[in-house]
Amino acid sequence: MRLRCAVLDDFQQVAKEAADWSSVTGEVDVVSFDAHLPDEDALAAALADFDIVVTLRERVAFPGSLLTRLPRLRLIVASGMRNSVIDYAAAEAHGVTVCGTASSSAPPVELTWALLLGLARGLVRESNGLREGGPWQQTVGADLHDRRLGLLGLGKIGSRVAQVGLAFGMRVSAWSQNLTRERADEVGVELAPSREELLRTADFVSVHLALGERTRGLLGPAELALLKPTAYLVNTSRAAIVDQDALLAALHEGRIAGAGVDVFDTEPLPPGHPMRTAPRLLATPHLGYVSQANYATYYGQAIEAIRSYLAGSPVRRLPAP
């Protein structure tokens, strides 16, 4: 019997074009889903007849309760080498192998700067005005040179964001709970003495932390109140690091100049969600990892994982040691 592989959240219908699937299609039928499956019941119904699932990032959770309802499932390939929404113990108990892929930090760095620059120079408002016959010049851009960029997190992504900020002539400072002066010196940025001081002094704040118990809700009402009224906040990391209600309140009340957001509490964002219409918000539909090179890696290595699994030697198994 031929195997069946489901490719989830292939919104642009490019999974089969991004890589060459011919090495597995002799044994595997590949079916892509261009619409998000929103809950466990929908997933259980849609995936009941599939042996393999390819899933992007952490958008779709695979708890034990779902895996129990998918007795045919034998392999999950998730893009990236870290996934917090798969129950690995349940997967092992149900005989499901989980594999990952490489993932480049370059695309989220680039999108971070697209959002930051778009906010600073009012690009959406100015472009729409020009196209629609509106006023000639409506905004006065915020300068980057000699302004302070505050980074929450200085890992692979945060450090690359820092380098771009330095190239713009910005004064860059960083903070995280484990950040050392040695690491800050290595990147060439200042170590902020505290999270509060970073928020009080920054003209632009960008979030580059992994989501965990210590970072969930890290920026709540009290922390957002520390930002200057002229400051901008950018979050391309995880929505839950920033209190969403507090952010919406700050935007509606004009307590910060604006925010650039690529991540949301529910994805895809439902119609009518307040984030879709919030003022002073430049929002994108989680495009941080969405690039031609990353998709070629994701799907190319997913194919490799399927081929290796079929040969009895799975590669890049998760959780990674």
Side-chain angles (χ1 to χ4, degrees):
M1 183 175 65
R2 289 178 60 80
L3 302 178
R4 302 189 75 215
C5 171
V7 179
L8 302 183
D9 293 330
D10 185 15
F11 299 124
Q12 305 94 335
Q13 286 286 279
V14 296
K16 294 181 182 179
E17 303 169 7
D20 182 3
W21 293 78
S22 61
S23 63
V24 297
T25 50
E27 301 175 67
V28 181
D29 294 322
V30 181
V31 179
S32 69
F33 290 76
D34 62 358
H36 183 66
L37 299 169
D39 54 43
E40 186 173 309
D41 287 341
L43 286 161
L47 302 180
D49 296 328
F50 285 91
D51 309 272
I52 303 165
V53 170
V54 176
T55 181
L56 285 175
R57 307 305 296 160
E58 297 172 313
R59 180 167 289 122
V60 176
F62 285 86
S65 55
L66 174 59
L67 294 171
T68 299
R69 300 170 69 179
L70 300 174
R72 184 167 164 175
L73 184 62
R74 286 296 172 263
L75 174 65
I76 298 172
V77 185
S79 61
M81 288 301 294
R82 180 173 59 193
N83 193 303
S84 63
V85 297
I86 296 173
D87 186 331
Y88 295 109
E92 183 177 6
H94 287 85
V96 178
T97 299
V98 183
C99 297
T101 74
S103 183
S104 171
S105 60
V109 171
E110 294 163 3
L111 185 74
T112 295
W113 280 103
L115 290 171
L116 194 153
L117 289 166
L119 286 166
R121 299 308 293 267
L123 293 186
V124 173
R125 183 178 177 187
E126 295 288 5
S127 177
N128 289 343
L130 186 146
R131 293 171 62 88
E132 296 166 3
W136 185 262
Q137 297 185 0
Q138 303 175 65
T139 63
V140 177
D143 295 281
L144 272 60
H145 182 77
D146 203 33
R147 298 301 192 269
R148 181 168 295 280
L149 171 63
L151 300 175
L152 292 170
L154 199 63
K156 287 192 296 184
I157 294 175
S159 60
R160 296 181 71 164
V161 171
Q163 293 301 315
V164 178
L166 293 169
F168 274 119
M170 302 185 79
R171 293 174 287 125
V172 183
S173 57
W175 176 90
S176 71
Q177 289 161 323
N178 296 321
L179 183 60
T180 64
R181 185 170 300 281
E182 290 73 20
R183 172 59 178 166
D185 289 344
E186 179 185 332
V187 178
V189 305
E190 301 173 32
L191 175 64
S194 66
R195 171 187 54 180
E196 291 73 19
E197 183 65 15
L198 181 143
L199 295 173
R200 274 194 293 265
T201 59
D203 300 291
F204 299 86
V205 173
S206 192
V207 180
H208 302 289
L209 295 165
L211 179 62
E213 290 307 312
R214 294 195 303 172
T215 59
R216 186 178 299 275
L218 186 73
L219 298 186
E223 290 75 27
L224 293 178
L226 297 174
L227 292 170
K228 302 176 184 179
T230 55
Y232 296 89
L233 174 68
V234 177
N235 186 8
T236 57
S237 183
R238 290 291 183 268
I241 296 172
V242 181
D243 184 305
Q244 300 296 282
D245 291 336
L247 177 58
L248 283 167
L251 292 169
H252 279 283
E253 296 167 14
R255 288 189 276 109
I256 59 174
V261 173
D262 186 49
V263 287
F264 305 92
D265 52 3
T266 302
E267 296 184 8
L269 206 58
H273 192 286
M275 279 288 186
R276 288 185 177 268
T277 55
R280 304 176 181 86
L281 178 67
L282 177 55
T284 49
H286 205 154
L287 299 177
Y289 62 89
V290 180
S291 76
Q292 293 174 352
N294 244 4
Y295 269 29
T297 298
Y298 290 167
Y299 292 119
Q301 292 194 3
I303 294 164
E304 181 187 8
I306 294 169
R307 192 168 59 243
S308 300
Y309 173 80
L310 295 177
S313 301
V315 294
R316 292 182 298 276
R317 296 190 68 164
L318 295 179

